[in-house]
Amino acid sequence: MTEYVIDARADERSADKGLAGVKKIPLSSMPGHLLRRCQQIGVAIFLEACAEYDLTPLQFALLQALVNDGAQDQVTLGGATALDRTTIALLVRNLEQRGLLRRAKSKRDQRAKIVTITAAGKKLLRAALPAVESAQQRILAPLSDVESRQLLKLLEKLAENNNALSRAPARPQRRSA
């Protein structure tokens, strides 16, 4: 019977030969990877903080956009929150079933559905806002105040300057003077 001696370094050498020409890159040096990780962490913190309100970050964004900008059609709301048509339709349906918003056909365009936050939706936002703010503070907790402001400015710059590359670009509403 033949006895095999395992040489871990031999496995590394043979594996390296099969990867000739493939560059090893630490994931921690890749902004896309770090942004995805931070997004995972941010969502986990938000969901934990807002668990008692049964509120997700996307649901919060949609409801807050309605508070900020008033009633609007689903397409405009999707643009304001940088959400695609399918996602916005699912979110609106879910929040409507919970009585947090209302949809009605537009009087100007029968194809469009106007979305309005309800009194229950406003009540939920008022109740959840301290938890939402706490989640935002927890996300930034490892940073100093100066670093937090700097990060937010840099993230805003990245989002604005890469907006056209998004599968669901933000389309902020234009304000008339």
Side-chain angles (χ1 to χ4, degrees):
M1 182 174 196
T2 308
E3 195 170 315
Y4 293 98
V5 177
I6 298 173
D7 178 358
R9 295 175 73 206
D11 286 346
E12 285 179 18
R13 286 190 301 273
S14 65
D16 285 345
K17 287 179 186 174
L19 296 175
V22 177
K23 183 178 176 183
K24 290 186 178 183
I25 303 171
L27 293 175
S28 62
S29 72
M30 302 182 81
H33 176 74
L34 293 172
L35 286 168
R36 183 192 61 78
R37 285 286 298 129
C38 288
Q39 197 267 349
Q40 281 181 317
I41 293 163
V43 168
I45 290 170
F46 187 99
L47 291 175
E48 180 183 305
C50 295
E52 71 179 279
Y53 305 104
D54 191 24
L55 191 63
T56 70
L58 294 181
Q59 291 170 338
F60 170 79
L62 192 148
L63 291 170
Q64 191 63 53
L66 290 170
V67 167
N68 294 349
D69 301 323
Q72 52 199 285
D73 64 85
Q74 279 186 210
V75 172
T76 302
L77 186 56
T81 54
L83 296 170
D84 63 79
R85 286 178 184 247
T86 301
T87 303
I88 201 76
L90 292 170
L91 285 168
V92 166
R93 184 170 52 235
N94 174 275
L95 293 171
E96 184 179 37
Q97 288 171 349
R98 292 175 57 190
L100 302 175
L101 55 78
R102 178 176 43 254
R103 276 189 294 189
K105 284 190 177 180
S106 170
K107 292 176 182 167
R108 290 187 296 173
D109 181 351
Q110 289 297 306
R111 296 169 297 168
K113 293 186 179 168
I114 303 300
V115 182
T116 310
I117 191 168
T118 64
K122 291 175 188 174
K123 182 178 178 182
L124 176 73
L125 275 184
R126 272 193 300 277
L129 192 57
V132 170
E133 290 173 336
S134 172
Q136 303 312 299
Q137 290 170 358
R138 280 184 58 203
I139 290 167
L140 296 173
L143 305 176
S144 70
D145 288 343
V146 170
E147 289 170 327
S148 294
R149 286 190 298 276
Q150 183 180 23
L151 175 64
L152 290 173
K153 283 182 182 180
L154 292 171
L155 288 171
E156 186 175 25
K157 185 176 183 177
L158 279 173
E160 285 178 7
N161 289 303
N162 289 319
N163 187 49
L165 303 174
S166 175
R167 296 173 90 188
R171 296 179 309 276
Q173 291 184 339
R174 301 236 186 259
R175 297 266 179 222
S176 53

